[in-house]
Amino acid sequence: MEYKIAVLRGDGIGPEIVDAAVGCLDAVARRFGHTFQYSYPLIGGAAIDTTGIPLPQETIDACRSAGAVLLGAVGGPKWDSLAGHVRPEKGLLSLRSALGLYANVRPALLYDQLRSASPLRRDITQNGMNLVVVRELTGGIYFGPRGYREGKEGQEAFDTEVYSIAEIERIAVIAFQIAMGRRKKITSVDKANVLESSRLWRATVNRISQRYPEVTVEHMFVDNCAMQLVKDPSRFDVLLCPNMFGDILSDEAAMLTGSIGLLPSSSLGGTKLGLYEPIHGSAPDIAGTDTANPIATILAAAMMLSSSFDLLEETVAIEKAVNAVLSKGYRTADIYTPGDKKVSCSQMGEKIALEIRKAK
Ligand code: NAD
């Protein structure tokens, strides 16, 4: 079969980690007899440097005409002094909106082989950690009214958290559907003791839950959730979060698995077209050194194969290959401990691609 993928390499470590993931997709293509047709549109700082804007129309068109989008990361100090609307990060936010992607799904799995890389004590990690953060992506405080105004004590700035019932309903439905395929437990995160938008969030989640009687629902304040994640992450299955809380908690969950370089994510809307990317940024501090961990991006490519193309066996082949390479002791710098075999970003990609090709 033939599949079209828009590959957005982006900035910083983006090109390095994306190239490693494309190498793994090529290995999948060879093993399973598929053809992946790649296009390489520009986004972020790379697009600003070439076209003056972070998301050219050709990039939106290329993504819309593809079956899925694979992204590295955008941003970096080179573009930090630009105005907000021409910053690299604006390109990604606008792309998610243009493609109607409102649900960000971020699985956080602690690999047995990487327990020593987790900052948690062994008596905590022995129970394992296998959760999914379902983060609302196109609403909340990142998109609400904002600005500057004259306050009582001079100039002040404000951002506003806004959620409609429809926005909460559609993200809740995705979380319940994911929970049905897992351990059937949802923790809905809010700050309903303080925020009006959170009280609407809680009431709406409760209403949607009536359609899914098999799923257990608990509500948790975000501050408590941040604490419980560190105390016992094994208690969580699906974390359903508004935009900002999900942004923060998923980074926390990422670190508990050993490194932010391990966690993939998918951004989904109502169609098969999804955007797949690591949860981390462009890591300018290590860009160009071939030391980044490409596993998050490789696992994002794996999510893409099942979610957008229904290639379930191919997804499992990538996940097994990552497991096999970790079991053989290969580690990039971020998850390295003495005694491991240290490899570069490109070497890690090649080792995983090799496992994909030779696995039965
Ligand atoms: P970051 O995630 O890029 O980096 C945080 C830390 O984690 C750094 O020390 C970095 O070296 C390390 N790290 C990240 N990914 C890694 C990997 N794959 N392997 C090894 N180490 C890794 O976050 P930041 O430093 O806050 O942001 C840097 C830039 O990225 C900023 O311009 C920010 O706006 C942008 N950003 C982009 C995205 C995105 O494209 N989706 C997301 C977050 C941040």
Side-chain angles (χ1 to χ4, degrees):
M1 284 279 288
E2 235 177 73
Y3 303 92
K4 278 171 85 174
I5 303 169
V7 180
L8 308 182
R9 295 165 90 226
D11 309 315
I13 60 170
E16 300 163 52
I17 52 178
V18 163
D19 289 352
V22 167
C24 291
L25 287 172
D26 288 341
V28 168
R30 263 176 70 174
R31 180 171 153 202
F32 291 90
H34 302 308
T35 303
F36 295 125
Q37 256 183 36
Y38 308 113
S39 63
Y40 288 90
L42 295 173
I43 192 168
I48 294 171
D49 287 351
T50 312
T51 68
I53 53 170
L55 183 66
Q57 185 60 42
E58 305 90 79
T59 298
I60 300 175
D61 295 342
C63 292
R64 282 195 177 131
S65 69
V69 182
L70 181 66
L71 170 81
V74 295
K78 182 177 175 193
W79 305 280
D80 274 352
S81 56
L82 295 175
H85 67 287
V86 279
R87 291 274 295 265
E89 295 79 2
K90 178 71 182 161
L92 181 51
L93 293 179
S94 304
L95 180 63
R96 287 170 178 159
S97 293
L99 300 181
L101 306 174
Y102 56 82
N104 191 217
V105 180
R106 297 180 162 194
L109 173 71
L110 176 61
Y111 286 91
D112 281 347
Q113 304 94 316
L114 293 181
R115 288 211 178 151
S116 57
S118 170
L120 292 179
R121 290 196 318 259
R122 214 169 172 85
D123 59 306
I124 299 175
T125 57
Q126 72 183 4
N127 297 327
M129 168 179 172
N130 182 354
L131 59 87
V132 178
V133 179
V134 178
R135 169 189 166 198
E136 201 289 323
L137 206 53
T138 53
I141 196 162
Y142 294 170
F143 292 90
R146 69 193 50 210
Y148 288 84
R149 64 189 172 203
E150 273 312 302
K152 280 190 199 126
E153 291 161 25
Q155 198 184 42
E156 56 187 28
F158 65 95
D159 299 275
T160 318
E161 172 94 350
V162 182
Y163 269 116
S164 69
I165 291 175
E167 283 174 316
I168 304 167
E169 277 178 353
R170 65 186 187 180
I171 188 74
V173 165
I174 293 219
F176 277 95
Q177 286 169 347
I178 289 173
M180 285 299 288
R182 292 175 50 94
R183 303 197 303 279
K184 298 189 175 63
K185 183 179 172 194
I186 286 186
T187 305
S188 177
V189 179
D190 62 38
K191 191 72 183 164
N193 50 343
V194 180
L195 301 177
E196 209 56 65
S197 56
S198 280
R199 287 191 271 274
L200 182 67
W201 180 278
R202 195 175 276 216
T204 308
V205 171
N206 278 339
R207 195 158 32 73
I208 297 293
S209 74
Q210 290 165 10
R211 295 188 213 161
Y212 301 89
E214 286 173 63
V215 178
T216 309
V217 179
E218 66 174 348
H219 299 276
M220 196 175 276
F221 297 141
V222 61
D223 39 354
N224 184 26
C225 187
M227 182 183 76
Q228 297 296 339
L229 260 176
V230 178
K231 195 174 160 205
D232 180 15
S234 72
R235 75 186 294 292
F236 294 108
D237 181 17
V238 176
L239 280 165
L240 167 59
C241 306
N243 203 341
M244 183 164 68
F245 297 162
D247 194 6
I248 296 167
L249 292 177
S250 57
D251 268 30
E252 184 185 351
M255 194 55 225
L256 301 183
T257 68
S259 169
I260 198 168
L262 293 165
L263 291 208
S265 80
S266 61
S267 300
L268 309 170
T271 69
K272 279 279 176 196
L273 175 61
L275 184 147
Y276 303 85
E277 58 180 316
I279 76 154
H280 58 73
S282 61
D285 52 337
I286 56 168
T289 62
D290 195 21
T291 55
N293 189 341
I295 290 180
T297 317
I298 291 168
L299 291 173
M303 287 176 92
M304 173 181 78
L305 296 182
S306 50
S307 290
S308 282
F309 301 140
D310 293 325
L311 299 175
L312 306 188
E313 205 186 327
E314 290 79 347
T315 296
V316 172
I318 297 181
E319 290 170 351
K320 277 189 177 165
V322 169
N323 238 306
V325 167
L326 291 176
S327 293
K328 287 179 181 173
Y330 295 109
R331 304 282 188 271
T332 41
D334 56 317
I335 49 175
Y336 172 83
T337 49
D340 295 332
K341 298 168 193 154
K342 200 179 214 172
V343 289
S344 65
C345 175
S346 50
Q347 286 168 334
M348 180 59 98
E350 284 156 17
K351 300 234 169 272
I352 295 170
L354 190 67
E355 287 294 334
I356 294 169
R357 281 203 296 274
K358 74 179 191 200
K360 289 260 157 32

